Amino acid sequence: MAVLDHPAENVSPPVAQRAPSWATTLDHKQIGILYIITSLIFMAVGGLEALIIRAQLWVPDSHLVGPDMFNQLFTMHGTTMVFFVVMPMLFGFGNYLIPLMIGARDMAFPRLNAFSYWMFAFGGTLTYLSFLAGGAPNVGWFAYAPLTEYAFSRDHSTDYWILGLMVSGIGTTATAVNLVTTILVMRAPGMSLARVPLFVWMMMFDGVLLIFALPPFTAAAIMLLLDRGLGAHFFDTQAGGSALLWQHLFWFFGHPEVYIMALPAFGIISEVVPVFSRKVIFGYESVAAATVVIGVISMGVWAHHMFTVGMSDALDAIFSGASFLIAVPTGIKMFNWIATIYGGKIRMQSPMLFAVGFLAMFLIGGLTGIMLAAVPIDWQVSDSYFVVGHFHYVLFGGSLFAIMAAYYFWFPKMTGRLLSERLARWHFWLMLAGFNLTFFPMHIAGLLGMPRRIYTYSADRGWTIWNQLSTVGAMLLAVSFLFFFWNLFVSWRRGESSGDDPWDAWTLEWATTSPPAHYNFEEIPIVRSRRPLWDLKHPEDPDWEHE
Amino acid sequence: MCLASILLVALVRSAAADDLSVFHPASRPAASIRDLFYLVFGITGAIFALVEGMLVYAAWRYRRRKAGNDPEPAQVYGSQPLEVAWTVAPLLIVFVLFLVVVRSVFEAQEGNDDPPALRVQLIGHQWWWDVVYLDEQPGAGVHTANELHVPTGTDGQPARIEVELLSADVIHSFWVPRLAGKTDLVPGQTNHMWFTAEEPGTFFGQCAEFCGMQHANMKLRVVAESAESFQAWRKNEAQPALALANVTKGRERFLSLSCVNCHTIRGTAAHGTVGPDLTHLMTRRTIAAGAADNDHEQLRAWIADPDSIKPGSEMPNMRLSSAEIDAVVDYLETLH
Ligand code: HEM
Ligand SMILES: [Cu+2]
């Protein structure tokens, strides 16, 4: 590698030669960008599906799309957003950033890494091919048996759902193994596990959670496949199978899945908030410990999705208690972030705007989660629009706001250019307004008795106004995303040059060029504290004296 | 605050229209859930105000006023007392919440040993409700669909209605917000719930677990009435169907078609159990589980083509001529 001596000589070859290199790349940065771009495409598709859902519910007794199409739309919207948008986007950032943050040249298993990405891309594509094969999955994103059994779902749409998710699930498992191994064994000299950036720490536990949570889902999917294809009876209630077995297996994966989508977001926030407050994270140890506690408890709360299935009072109480308990470590993080902001010199640049948006919105999702954990309240609002409101405050107000902070924060590292702050502000304020207008009224519709997943409602039920507010909000959201996509596009082409370290940040990825050379670092850095670049910039008051 | 005021508006509004608001309970279980909701809303609302307030205050108070190379602020690495405080305080709060919840979960069972005034079986089907009154004399069973009649009680003592929930196919969920929280209808298992109706009236609900194509049109109404009118209704329902002479043609047509494979009309040879019992069809306000009003036009349209009212419905298009439809509908309209 002659280029080792000339890091600046990172000249891109012409497009014609570039294309195959993206298809065959093993470089974690290219793979990360592939993840990010692919999931952006899925995000546009999933968003479009949501817009059609909202358009259908604009008026009572609407005939815009029929029940069949509507059921496909919300199933594909949910499936897409969870499996093909939020997760892979987080993996994209993880892939790109983790080797840079820990001072490594690549992931532990570059080939496995490429394999993971392609499995995700194929799995997503396969799921969408169902549209061409006569109809997309229409059983909801948690695909409750026995509705998914052959008796009630006779076309192949459900098979596409199973196979698509299994294929991408294989990729996800490989990613999880790769993340954990990389973080355990590839860290730069001096970077003990107690010194890794919190994003890295949280991605590691994300991987651990995935390794525990995915197998039950894969097992359940295979069982369902056997039921449908080979006449097995695991979930076939007509032949003595169990409907609730599916729910237990699914939610044993499905609840940790929520935290799988949330932990990396917490990690992003734990990087962005300190840099823009100009302060070290408040209570590194307790934020790190809270992550582990969340991971452990999240494996034991799954049946709070099942309070209405007729479990015993004792089980209801146990799962309710465990769900309440998870609020404590989550609250700890919240307070630590706020304490980090407190007393800082805050630069309200775009990443920080979205980070504060995250804190403000995620709090609401957390608190409605506490309401839902109170079993009798759940009996009323479970499976109503209240729940749809709640989990969008968690996944959209939470994870997606954090992901947006990540775009604005690390785009300069990936491209060497800054995103436009002016467009960012349009994006942020429209997204914040649109988000609340879309999802807050859903809580009210739910409390007024509106179940989720209904393609139509009659005017006399009194839900019209809340649905109309939601629909207007969704249009605002769509506009905000136009600003985002436009910003990505123009800034990538001719944005202001960022330099290597535009935010005056402290973790290792900012110590190299933007974009980094193939090998990341000319010389593997030696780390003495949690903020190696702070030490460099403040030799008079280095971090290690305080840790 | 803005949250609370929007909710207030919602409460007021919800008094109008066909009311399904959880804030307007007409039954003991629903009322106790509402009270619990107010309590939990109060607690979480206070936490919201406090934490959101701290966040906004910190972000506003410490924003940098002008750009420039001012020195970095003091670096604070943590504070053990503070961190212990914000671990222990939430722990105490959720512990109290947990106790409250456990109490109300067990409260929901209270009075379970009192003998019920009425026992009903609800069987979920894609996409309608089969209603069977239990503890009838054999042969005098009341069997209806999509409409549950219950007594309010006597002498200020609300009648306890016990419901057994089953499913014939996939999972459904029974939800009448003013009367009680949800309980699922799970195939292969029998669930139980109970409610009271403290005032006469019609209470609306619908299936709350996605159950396929017409999940949205799996509606249900509960009609609560005084003990006397309930008994009158029940007595009538227990009778076999009328066989009026002026609709013989329609009746014979009906009985000669495959309608009988799916529907029951007691007193005739129609004994099907795939679809709703039609013995007293005309006592019901809607057809097709609330998808349409039960009137002449809608009945005709339904029989002419069920999919025109409820696409995907399990009832086939019988391909009758217009005259046949008239005859059959004339017959059905005598089933009081
Ligand atoms: C443009 C933004 C969005 C809008 C307007 C929107 C709207 C909706 C609506 C109206 C539903 C309910 C459909 C129903 O139950 O009948 C829904 C379901 C859902 N949404 Fe979103 N959503 C958006 C973004 C997201 C994002 C970012 C996620 C992140 C993971 C997400 C995850 C889900 C999930 C998991 C479901 C449940 C699907 C199911 O019931 O099977 N959505 N969304
Ligand atoms: Cu149903």
Side-chain angles (χ1 to χ4, degrees), chain A residues 46-47 50-51 53-54 57 70 74-75 77-79 81-82 86 140-142 261 385 388 391-392 395-396 400 438-439 442 452-454 470 474 477-478 481:
Chain A
L51 283 180
I53 293 175
R54 287 310 332 162
L57 297 176
F70 187 88
F74 73 69
T75 303
H77 165 75
T79 304
M81 289 299 188
V82 170
V86 174
W141 87 274
F142 40 73
M261 292 188 275
Y385 257 91
V388 182
F391 69 69
H392 280 92
L395 292 175
F396 194 142
L400 206 65
T438 308
F439 296 108
M442 289 187 186
R452 69 195 280 198
R453 297 172 169 180
I454 55 173
S470 278
L477 273 178
F481 276 92

Side-chain angles (χ1 to χ4, degrees), chain A residues 241 289 348 364 411 421 438 468 485:
Chain A
M348 270 297 171
I364 299 176
F411 184 86
E421 279 293 314
T438 308
Q468 299 196 327
F485 280 108

